Amino acid sequence: MLAKSTLTLAVFTWMAASALAQQVTLPLPRLLTVMPMGGQAGTTVEVTITGENTENISELMFSTPKITAKPVAGAEKKFTVTIAPDVPVGVYDARVMSRLGVSSARAFSVNKLPEVIRTKANNSVETAMVLPLGSICNATMTKRSVDFYAFQGVKGKRVAVDCAATGIDSRLTPVLILADAKGGDLKVNRTGGVIDFTPPADGTYLIKVSDLTYQGGERLFYRLALQEAPGTGPAPRQPQTQTVSAMSWPPAGLAATAKAHETEPNNKPAEAQKITLPCDIAGSFFPAADVDTFEFTAKKGETWWVEVASERLGLNTDPFVLVQQVKAIGGKETLTDVAELYDIAPPMKVTSNGYSYDGPPYDAGSPDVNGKFVVKEDGTYRLQVRDLFGGTRSDANNVYRLIVRQATPDFSLAAWAVHMTLRNGDRAALSKPMALRAGESRAFEVAVQRRDGFDGEIEIGMENLPPGVSAAGLKIAKGKPYGHLILTASSDAKHGFSLAKIVGKATVNGAVVTRPVRVASMEWPVKDAKGEIPAPRLMADVPVSVSDSEQAPLTIATAENKVFEAKVGETLKIPLKLTWRNEFNGTSIKVKAYGEGFSAIKEFDIPLKAATFEAVLDLAALKIAPGDYTFAFQSLGICKYRYNPAAVPLAEAEQKKAEQLAAAVAAEAKKLAATDAEAAKKAAEKQKLAEAAMAAATSRMKAVTTAASPTDTVEILISEPIRVSVKAATPAPAVTATK
């Protein structure tokens, strides 16, 4: 059984009992909406953003330098976004830089089609918004309503209607209906796919969009595309973000397109498509209940690996592969099952219900296939591919890529911030951008999907970090499914930002190979995952920031910056230096460890406010073998956190200034009241504006004072990485025999 990798507070019963009354993790900057949520390549569009914990926004940036933004003068949280003409169609990550550093990401979609924005209500047949063919409409869902759009259809001219939502970070679960001019339903799609429609006659047709549960609001946005579809083949789709499962696709070195295509009909044994191994074939689960059958010869002793990608391409499919041996006995064909290949298992135990403390909410497994079969005797074999969801679906967009190869050992990697899960308490699943406070260390789980039997160790590294920030990859040991990465900002680090890169290195078949580490995060900060299932996805890049606006509540470091040495079986003492910057509840923090070999360290207590502490490690009990190791201590604690206390004196000064101005204006108005009627009128208007400004300043003062009040906050506490070199034990001296 895998050890738990998430921090579990079950042992902290005193925490769990009161967790619901506490804030969970220190606030981090999060970009919530960008409206409109995309644009046409080669155009400029004005967007409005919303977020949380995003004061002092200095920049709106994207995961490609070909999309740039400038603030709109005099308009808070508005930017003019310029999309270069050569930006490829796709989804890019948008982020803001704020007081606390780089924010979480929000999808920004780029297409080649002209775009419009819905500006008024369209919740009836009569108010349907006219949507030109070959365009995209940006809108937010109207609560407890249906949005109506109208277009002119031409008899026999195929069109595709696509409502992008879940693939662009929206919380909308779209229901898409194509109707006649009176609103009568013709075709319905409740799975978030495309409606492929060929008008039976010229005339007006309607598109109806709603949420599955009729929710609405700014977080339930969508992009409705209406475009011509080709005469044959799949209907065009809008681009979408990648789920965490896509971290294992494609294999390194795979060609962009398959070498061959499946040829229908190939459903029945007599129609089996003849192939030779190895093979790389593109196909589709179309029409409904499609079973693609391929026939080949193989020799005894051969081992073949079979991989199918479909769900990892962003499709709602569940591929299944059946391999059978074909024999003719007495003139009759007989089939013997050789292998049944199902899902790609997640490398680590995933939360069982979206919020439970029994695993992280990140699933790097997939319903796709990656397995093997062994040929027991020379002969003819058949391989069938089908979609277990495809019995009633008839969608040419549900494509797949089938690869049958001899073993090509390799690996794929994905990382995400360690999440806190409180048993019987908090159920938060929060996006955690790599925005560090000075003096903070943060842990990331690095999961590995091992391919074709590879089981070697993997070194994790990180490059291109901001000044004052360092990273230590805690090695993924031989055969293990995950390791950790510790990202650290020094206590004297200044505000900084960079686009970083995380890599994994391993020796495969005698050669050193390097593979990228994809980073995953939550699409939305889910503060109670009991009522809402978290939705993580892969990010487009790896932005890292450090902020000196605040410092970490606690920094744990070694007293000396050195490699600690010991021999096998000895007791190793590591002196620690602790810098406490916040008050903490309780009398101590309980400490464990991350890192291969050291994760079995027996939990120990460090008293609160202790400036130093000596950690004593029994290398014999840990069974540490000779070698070089890096590990980190981890704990949790409840600190008294104050949000942006520096804003309080500024707000106080603003309030006093507003009060003084209001008093001066009031005195002037009173003086003029009995003299000049026109001047008195203007003075009264001026007084009204000054009083409004004073009220706003007072409201802001109250808000920042409340935010800066000490709040019990449960935080994950990670030490700076600790390096240890364990040497072989000194051999006992030989005993000389005497006569």
Side-chain angles (χ1 to χ4, degrees):
M1 177 180 290
L2 297 178
K4 291 180 183 177
S5 60
T6 50
L7 294 178
T8 302
L9 298 190
V11 294
F12 295 87
T13 54
W14 56 275
M15 287 187 184
S18 60
L20 291 176
Q22 299 159 351
Q23 178 173 265
V24 177
T25 76
L26 299 182
L28 289 169
R30 297 186 174 97
L31 179 60
L32 298 180
T33 63
V34 178
M35 185 63 192
M37 66 293 303
Q40 181 185 11
T43 66
T44 297
V45 59
E46 184 176 285
V47 303
T48 301
I49 65 172
T50 64
E52 61 182 24
N53 311 322
T54 53
E55 306 85 15
N56 306 334
I57 292 175
S58 60
E59 187 178 2
L60 172 64
M61 52 193 179
F62 298 84
S63 56
T64 173
K66 293 184 177 182
I67 305 178
T68 57
K70 292 183 179 180
V72 175
E76 187 178 4
K77 296 186 178 180
K78 286 185 180 291
F79 290 82
T80 299
V81 175
T82 300
I83 309 168
D86 59 344
V87 177
V89 171
V91 178
Y92 300 88
D93 284 346
R95 296 181 176 89
V96 294
M97 184 62 69
S98 65
R99 175 182 70 89
L100 288 175
V102 67
S103 74
S104 60
R106 182 59 61 232
F108 188 82
S109 188
V110 174
N111 214 304
K112 298 295 184 182
L113 299 176
E115 305 217 355
V116 295
I117 300 173
R118 189 197 61 196
T119 57
K120 58 182 180 180
N122 61 335
N123 306 125
S124 67
V125 172
E126 295 74 22
T127 60
M129 176 180 171
V130 176
L131 188 60
L133 184 63
S135 67
I136 294 175
C137 179
N138 295 270
T140 56
M141 192 65 240
T142 308
K143 192 171 185 178
R144 292 190 295 274
S145 296
V146 176
D147 294 345
F148 285 76
Y149 298 87
F151 72 95
Q152 294 301 308
V154 177
K155 181 179 179 179
K157 192 172 184 179
R158 183 184 177 207
V159 297
V161 183
D162 179 21
C163 183
T166 52
I168 57 170
D169 293 349
S170 175
R171 302 178 95 161
L172 173 72
T173 303
V175 174
L176 194 60
I177 300 174
L178 194 140
D180 60 28
K182 295 182 180 180
D185 296 355
L186 299 175
K187 298 190 77 171
V188 180
N189 191 322
R190 290 184 173 86
T191 61
V194 172
I195 287 184
D196 189 339
F197 178 65
T198 301
D202 292 354
T204 299
Y205 293 88
L206 297 176
I207 303 167
K208 297 189 282 189
V209 183
S210 65
D211 177 63
L212 185 62
T213 57
Y214 290 94
Q215 299 300 307
E218 67 176 8
R219 299 187 183 187
L220 284 81
F221 46 79
Y222 62 90
R223 284 167 59 85
L224 182 64
L226 173 66
Q227 52 191 316
E228 294 183 17
T232 59
R237 295 290 306 270
Q238 296 183 70
Q240 59 186 24
T241 58
Q242 290 185 303
T243 59
V244 180
S245 63
M247 58 84 73
S248 59
W249 181 264
L254 183 69
T257 57
K259 296 178 180 178
H261 291 78
E262 60 126 335
T263 304
E264 295 286 355
N266 60 1
N267 280 30
K268 300 176 182 178
E271 301 169 339
Q273 183 175 339
K274 303 297 190 296
I275 62 172
T276 57
L277 304 186
C279 66
D280 180 0
I281 300 172
S284 65
F285 299 118
F286 178 80
D290 184 36
V291 179
D292 292 339
T293 306
F294 305 92
E295 188 172 285
F296 57 90
T297 59
K299 294 186 177 298
K300 180 180 179 179
E302 292 178 341
T303 298
W304 293 98
W305 289 81
V306 181
E307 183 164 13
V308 179
S310 184
E311 186 272 343
R312 289 175 291 172
L313 303 179
L315 302 170
N316 187 19
T317 55
D318 187 358
F320 165 73
V321 169
L322 173 65
V323 181
Q324 297 175 308
Q325 184 178 11
V326 184
K327 286 185 177 180
I329 300 177
K332 185 179 179 180
E333 183 178 274
T334 62
L335 300 174
T336 304
D337 291 354
V338 174
E340 293 183 359
L341 304 177
Y342 293 91
D343 302 349
I344 300 172
M348 51 199 300
K349 171 71 173 65
V350 181
T351 175
S352 58
N353 52 11
Y355 68 86
S356 180
Y357 54 88
D358 59 349
Y362 294 91
D363 188 353
S366 171
D368 282 347
V369 169
N370 190 15
K372 66 179 179 178
F373 68 91
V374 179
V375 180
K376 297 296 180 64
E377 59 179 303
D378 295 356
T380 300
Y381 293 81
R382 290 198 188 116
L383 183 152
Q384 293 182 346
V385 186
R386 72 183 71 190
D387 174 16
L388 296 179
F389 291 161
T392 58
R393 297 181 182 178
S394 190
D395 187 347
N397 285 284
N398 287 338
V399 298
Y400 66 83
R401 183 93 172 256
L402 167 67
I403 300 170
V404 184
R405 60 176 178 260
Q406 291 183 322
T408 308
D410 209 333
F411 58 95
S412 304
L413 299 158
W416 49 77
V418 169
H419 277 248
M420 188 184 308
T421 50
L422 308 182
R423 183 171 185 173
N424 299 325
D426 175 75
R427 299 178 174 90
L430 305 175
S431 51
K432 289 190 172 185
M434 290 187 174
L436 301 175
R437 290 167 168 82
E440 178 186 3
S441 290
R442 191 176 304 168
F444 293 81
E445 291 168 335
V446 184
V448 55
Q449 275 288 3
R450 298 177 180 272
R451 191 184 302 275
D452 298 8
F454 170 72
D455 69 347
E457 67 178 29
I458 304 170
E459 295 281 354
I460 305 299
M462 196 167 184
E463 306 167 359
N464 305 330
L465 292 165
V469 178
S470 59
L474 310 188
K475 184 187 302 180
I476 301 177
K478 179 180 174 65
K480 296 295 185 180
Y482 68 92
H484 289 88
L485 173 76
I486 307 297
L487 196 57
T488 299
S490 63
S491 297
D492 58 355
K494 302 301 180 184
H495 194 87
F497 170 81
S498 71
L499 285 175
K501 181 169 68 173
I502 310 175
V503 297
K505 292 183 179 181
T507 300
V508 181
N509 291 336
V512 176
V513 299
T514 301
R515 298 289 177 251
V517 179
R518 301 289 303 275
V519 173
S521 186
M522 293 295 165
E523 292 181 4
W524 291 89
V526 175
K527 297 179 181 178
D528 184 3
K530 186 177 182 180
E532 179 181 352
I533 297 175
R537 69 165 173 90
L538 293 176
M539 301 291 109
D541 51 10
V542 189
V544 180
S545 70
V546 58
S547 172
D548 55 2
S549 173
E550 294 182 6
Q551 289 190 305
L554 170 64
T555 297
I556 305 174
T558 56
E560 298 180 78
N561 183 18
K562 69 174 188 177
V563 176
F564 293 86
E565 297 184 351
K567 293 180 180 178
V568 169
E570 290 184 344
T571 296
L572 175 62
K573 297 180 179 180
I574 300 180
L576 301 176
K577 177 179 66 175
L578 298 98
T579 306
W580 307 82
R581 302 184 181 89
N582 292 65
E583 293 294 323
F584 280 76
N585 292 355
T587 59
S588 65
I589 58 172
K590 294 184 178 295
V591 180
K592 296 177 74 174
Y594 287 135
E596 182 60 28
F598 289 83
S599 57
I601 289 174
K602 187 176 180 181
E603 188 175 77
F604 59 90
D605 289 349
I606 296 181
L608 293 188
K609 298 185 179 181
T612 60
F613 185 85
E614 188 174 69
V616 180
L617 311 183
D618 184 349
L619 300 185
L622 293 173
K623 300 180 181 179
I624 301 294
D628 295 329
Y629 299 86
T630 302
F631 73 97
F633 290 121
Q634 53 101 341
S635 180
L636 0 140
I638 302 178
C639 68
K640 302 289 186 181
Y641 172 75
R642 299 180 64 203
Y643 184 81
N644 197 14
V648 175
L650 298 177
E652 185 177 15
E654 180 186 343
Q655 182 186 27
K656 287 182 179 179
K657 184 178 179 180
E659 289 173 347
Q660 291 170 355
L661 178 61
V665 170
E668 181 183 4
K670 184 177 181 181
K671 183 178 179 181
L672 294 173
T675 56
D676 187 333
E678 186 62 27
K681 183 179 178 181
K682 292 182 179 180
E685 293 175 352
K686 188 176 180 181
Q687 180 181 0
K688 188 176 180 180
L689 292 174
E691 288 173 349
M694 183 180 69
T698 300
S699 178
R700 173 168 169 74
M701 176 62 185
K702 182 179 179 180
V704 298
T705 301
T706 300
S709 300
T711 301
D712 281 355
T713 302
V714 187
E715 178 64 339
I716 300 172
L717 308 170
I718 307 294
S719 78
E720 294 183 6
I722 300 167
R723 295 168 294 160
V724 173
S725 180
V726 179
K727 310 296 184 184
T730 303
V735 177
T736 303
T738 57
K739 292 184 179 180

